[in-house]
Amino acid sequence: MLEDYQNHVLETLFGNVTHCIVVVDANGHISYMNESYCRFLDIEKETVKGRHVTDVIENTRMHIVVETGEEEMADLQQIRGDYMIAHRIPLREGDEIIGALGMVLFRDTDEWKIMNTHIKDLLLELESYRNQMQHVNGAKYSLHDIITGSPEILQLKEKIRKSAHSDVSVLLRGESGTGKELFAHSLHHLSERSSKPFIKVNCAAIPEHLIEAELFGYQEGAFTGARKGGKPGKFQLAHGGTLFLDEIGDMPIHAQVKILRVLQEGEVEAVGAVQPQEVDVRIIAATNQSLETLIKDQRFREDLFYRINVVQIDIPPLRKRQNDQKVLSKFLLRKISERTGKRVREFSPEVEEVFQTYHWPGNVRELENVIESSVHMTDGEIIEYGDLPAHLQSQTQLPQGHTLKEIVEETEKRAVLNALKSNDGDKGKAADQLGISKSSLYEKVKKYEL
């Protein structure tokens, strides 16, 4: 009766308004969507209630507003190729967030069509400038390219914005495939050095006997085979801009000594040079190793560690990024489908369950590779379990010869069990990892007798 009353109140308030209205609960599931929004999305009103909002509304952020508790006013949202203006407001009962209300302000009015055309033109112009800047400075990505539905990553993006304007050194830490390079590019794009070069060095890919010449350059005749006229190093090329030292934990000790001098003195000495050369470079470093352990093993200099670790940004692995697996899967599927020219729209329920339970040791990079492989393997518009790479099928081991309900229940049971194990039995953290409420987790623990 209470639910019927709630629906009646919402219908009375919003049923006849021309604006598109949606209400979601604390878990991001749709509690109400008015007829105007259903017509706009071309869906039946009876089919939307209870579904997660990301399954119904393209590029929605309603679930993020519920998680962050921060309203988003007059925000741009792309639906069906057009940019809409939307408000999103968290709903509170006391100090608790119980849901969120969303409203699309402009859809297809003549005024908005004119505004939409103008915005598209400005965005195309902006993209043109961005491509020109990329050609000049070498930085491809910005914060806009970091797709996320995770509060943790949203906080990191805000930390990037705060630290980008200064010249302090930044250390990006995270497992392989978490997106450290995207954050490095974003730091450069938002900095005062954005019009200057962005130079990347993969410290693990340069042979040890060549690393000094690569970093600091060399003079003509410095060694046998030296290029006529010499060659500038990465530090010289990055003068005025940003030098990104990727996998810095793999850098030899003797090169670390010279890098420390560059940071202290602001000058480099090319191989075979008589005089040092002044350089103005901001350092962004990245590693997937524990530099503290390397310091104990005397494989990394402690004084260099403190120089590059002024601001530390820890990027969590995909398995700990609430909601990101689902958001990224949809985004990557759309991107890969467009690139390959194959019409692949979605994942089967079995595949979605596999994605939820898999550990993702290769993180976002592995997720993209798995989806790209599956897109090429599928013969239909839906990626099925059999389209997944063999290693994913062998590790998830879905039971054969069972009904879909039995397969889903067994996979859900394993997902809950894995979440509890990875969080040492902490049900609150396990619920966050699974993207469900604590009460829902308790229900599943009781259901599966875990």
Side-chain angles (χ1 to χ4, degrees):
M1 290 178 62
L2 182 61
E3 186 177 348
D4 290 341
Y5 175 75
Q6 182 187 46
N7 291 337
H8 178 72
V9 170
L10 291 171
E11 189 63 32
T12 301
L13 289 172
F14 305 121
N16 295 319
V17 300
T18 56
H19 292 308
C20 298
I21 304 292
V22 63
V23 178
V24 301
D25 63 19
N27 295 314
H29 295 104
I30 295 175
S31 301
Y32 174 80
M33 180 178 285
N34 71 349
E35 190 65 40
S36 182
Y37 213 154
C38 291
R39 284 198 305 270
F40 176 54
L41 297 175
D42 193 23
I43 55 177
E44 295 295 328
K45 189 174 182 180
E46 295 76 18
T47 65
V48 299
K49 188 173 181 181
R51 294 172 64 185
H52 197 271
V53 67
T54 57
D55 294 329
V56 178
I57 303 175
E58 185 181 356
N59 297 317
T60 184
R61 290 177 53 84
M62 291 291 291
H63 57 301
I64 297 174
V65 170
V66 171
E67 292 163 359
T68 63
E70 297 179 2
E71 66 179 29
E72 298 180 352
M73 307 301 289
D75 187 49
L76 278 178
Q77 179 178 343
Q78 190 178 35
I79 299 180
R80 296 183 174 182
D82 285 326
Y83 287 91
M84 312 297 150
I85 291 183
H87 287 342
R88 306 181 192 95
I89 304 168
L91 302 175
R92 290 182 169 84
E93 185 174 307
D95 294 331
E96 182 183 0
I97 297 175
I98 60 172
L101 181 144
M103 176 188 299
V104 174
L105 303 180
F106 292 102
R107 296 178 304 173
D108 55 357
T109 62
D110 291 339
E111 176 186 1
W112 176 237
K113 283 183 177 180
I114 294 171
M115 194 183 309
N116 187 51
T117 301
H118 180 57
I119 289 175
K120 282 185 174 179
D121 185 49
L122 289 175
L123 288 175
L124 287 171
E125 185 177 356
L126 178 63
E127 184 64 22
S128 174
Y129 287 133
R130 183 179 173 184
N131 290 336
Q132 290 177 34
M133 286 297 294
Q134 176 184 330
H135 179 73
V136 170
N137 66 23
K140 298 179 183 178
Y141 309 108
S142 68
L143 281 183
H144 176 75
D145 296 301
I146 301 174
I147 308 300
T148 185
S150 162
E152 295 89 346
I153 300 300
L154 291 172
Q155 289 174 6
L156 287 187
K157 291 173 79 168
E158 186 59 33
K159 192 173 182 179
I160 291 289
R161 291 187 183 96
K162 289 179 179 178
S163 57
H165 70 279
S166 66
D167 277 344
V168 296
S169 299
V170 177
L171 179 61
L172 302 169
R173 310 184 76 159
E175 296 178 6
S176 178
T178 50
K180 296 187 289 294
E181 185 170 348
L182 268 69
F183 281 97
H185 284 242
S186 301
L187 276 164
H188 179 75
H189 261 305
L190 292 173
S191 73
E192 299 297 322
R193 298 171 177 263
S194 60
S195 61
K196 300 296 183 180
F198 176 87
I199 303 297
K200 175 187 173 182
V201 179
N202 188 333
C203 301
I206 305 174
E208 186 171 340
H209 66 283
L210 293 178
I211 196 161
E212 287 191 38
E214 282 292 317
L215 290 175
F216 312 116
Y218 58 81
Q219 297 290 307
E220 181 178 342
F223 51 83
T224 302
R227 180 188 299 177
K228 186 177 180 180
K231 179 185 176 184
K234 301 297 185 182
F235 272 91
Q236 290 94 327
L237 293 174
H239 180 64
T242 303
L243 183 65
F244 176 40
L245 298 174
D246 198 11
E247 305 300 348
I248 194 169
D250 291 309
M251 179 172 289
I253 282 285
H254 64 86
Q256 293 177 30
V257 176
K258 287 205 167 186
I259 286 181
L260 183 62
R261 183 187 175 191
V262 175
L263 298 181
Q264 290 173 336
E265 308 295 336
E267 58 184 28
V268 297
E269 191 171 316
V271 178
V274 178
Q275 295 292 331
Q277 177 182 355
E278 288 189 1
V279 290
D280 173 23
V281 172
R282 182 189 191 178
I283 296 292
I284 299 175
T287 183
N288 60 7
Q289 303 182 65
S290 169
L291 296 185
E292 292 85 352
T293 300
L294 295 179
I295 290 170
K296 288 180 182 178
D297 295 339
Q298 297 186 342
R299 293 162 53 200
F300 200 87
R301 293 183 61 95
E302 188 173 12
D303 45 8
L304 177 59
F305 173 72
Y306 291 122
R307 279 282 182 175
I308 64 174
N309 193 33
V310 180
V311 173
Q312 180 173 296
I313 294 178
D314 295 295
I315 306 171
L318 182 58
R319 61 185 173 275
K320 292 186 178 180
R321 285 157 62 169
Q322 186 180 354
N323 295 323
D324 266 9
Q325 183 273 315
K326 193 170 187 177
V327 171
L328 282 166
S329 295
K330 291 187 175 183
F331 169 78
L332 291 170
L333 178 62
R334 184 166 61 248
K335 184 181 83 168
I336 292 168
S337 297
E338 289 174 355
R339 188 175 71 229
T340 59
K342 292 189 70 173
R343 180 178 168 82
V344 184
R345 298 182 292 106
E346 57 184 313
F347 306 99
S348 71
E350 298 97 320
V351 170
E352 290 183 344
E353 290 293 338
V354 169
F355 282 3
Q356 287 290 335
T357 58
Y358 185 57
H359 194 63
W360 296 112
N363 293 290
V364 182
R365 186 182 296 120
E366 183 182 10
L367 176 63
E368 182 170 10
N369 290 340
V370 164
I371 294 174
E372 183 160 14
S373 171
S374 303
V375 166
H376 284 291
M377 294 303 296
T378 188
D379 293 323
E381 295 186 359
I382 299 175
I383 291 178
E384 303 287 353
Y385 179 73
D387 299 321
L388 296 175
H391 78 277
L392 211 64
Q393 294 187 40
S394 64
Q395 290 194 39
T396 51
Q397 295 179 340
L398 282 174
Q400 301 298 312
H402 292 262
T403 65
L404 174 60
K405 181 181 178 182
E406 290 171 336
I407 292 173
V408 170
E409 286 183 346
E410 176 62 26
T411 309
E412 183 178 64
K413 177 181 176 180
R414 286 207 303 270
V416 172
L417 188 60
N418 290 339
L420 289 169
K421 285 182 178 179
S422 64
N423 290 284
D424 299 321
D426 189 318
K427 293 184 173 61
K429 290 182 179 178
D432 289 341
Q433 181 178 322
L434 293 167
I436 60 177
S437 66
K438 199 170 180 179
S439 60
S440 295
L441 179 68
Y442 276 111
E443 290 175 4
K444 296 182 191 302
V445 169
K446 183 179 178 180
K447 176 181 177 181
Y448 299 118
E449 300 178 351
L450 301 175

